[in-house]
């Protein structure tokens, strides 16, 4: 119940910031969001060539155990800006609340930074050296997109995870800054 309340508060706060954006910034956010989704899709396509989904399923998604903290305000803004229907996290599964059965509830283009950029050794070892280099160039580009989206809002307003273990997220502390 705690996580559902925190999720609802954070979504409301980010949505309020999104709705308060001046038209020019809202337009820029939509452009950046479309670029981010396309880039994440390309990153996912690259690792799909080496059957990353099969490898992840084989290990049971061990990297997803702590995933509840990866979904950020920027990730939510991308949903809002592209009008993608927002997922409903599963806080009852004991793992990442964005993990469904058997797959991630988040479409590849909307996955949090850590989720889309993490490649374990099993995946990375199957990629050609040139593909690994290409992947890390895309990761750098993705970092820049996250930073540019955050820069559209008051300093710190869209930083951090939507959910925190002990303290409320920065979004909840800065809702009046919009």
């Amino acid at each position: 119940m705690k996580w559902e309340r925190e999720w609802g508060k954070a979504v409301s706060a980010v949505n309020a910031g999104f709705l308060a954006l001046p038209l020019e910034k809202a337009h820029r956010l939509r452009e950046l969001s479309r670029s981010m989704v396309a880039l994440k899709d390309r990153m996912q396509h690259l690792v799909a060539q080496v059957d990353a989904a099969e490898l992840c399923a084989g290990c049971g998604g061990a990297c997803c155990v702590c995933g509840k903290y990866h979904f950020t305000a920027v990730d939510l803004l991308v949903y809002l800006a592209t009008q993608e229907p927002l997922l409903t996290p599963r806080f009852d599964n004991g793992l990442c609340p964005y993990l469904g059965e058997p797959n991630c509830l988040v479409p590849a283009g909307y996955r949090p930074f850590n989720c889309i950029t993490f490649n374990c050794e099993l995946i990375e070892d199957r990629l050609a050296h040139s593909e690994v280099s290409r992947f890390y160039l895309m990761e750098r580009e993705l970092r820049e997109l996250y930073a540019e989206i955050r820069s559209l809002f008051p300093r710190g307003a869209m930083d951090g995870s939507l959910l925190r273990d002990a303290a409320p997220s920065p979004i909840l502390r800065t809702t009046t800054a919009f």
Side-chain angles (χ1 to χ4, degrees), residues 50 117 119-128 132 135-136:
V50 295
T117 61
N119 289 325
C120 69
E121 293 82 17
L122 292 173
I123 295 170
E124 202 160 288
D125 289 348
R126 290 185 177 194
L127 290 170
V132 172
F135 186 87
Y136 287 110

Side-chain angles (χ1 to χ4, degrees), residues 99-121:
L99 189 60
E101 293 177 23
N103 300 315
C104 184
L105 298 172
V106 183
Y110 292 84
R111 290 185 185 147
F113 180 87
N114 290 358
C115 300
I116 204 72
T117 61
F118 178 77
N119 289 325
C120 69
E121 293 82 17

Side-chain angles (χ1 to χ4, degrees), residues 7 14 40 54 56 65 98 112 149:
W7 175 260
V14 172
K40 287 180 178 182
E54 182 180 314
C56 293
V65 172
Y98 316 111
I149 288 174

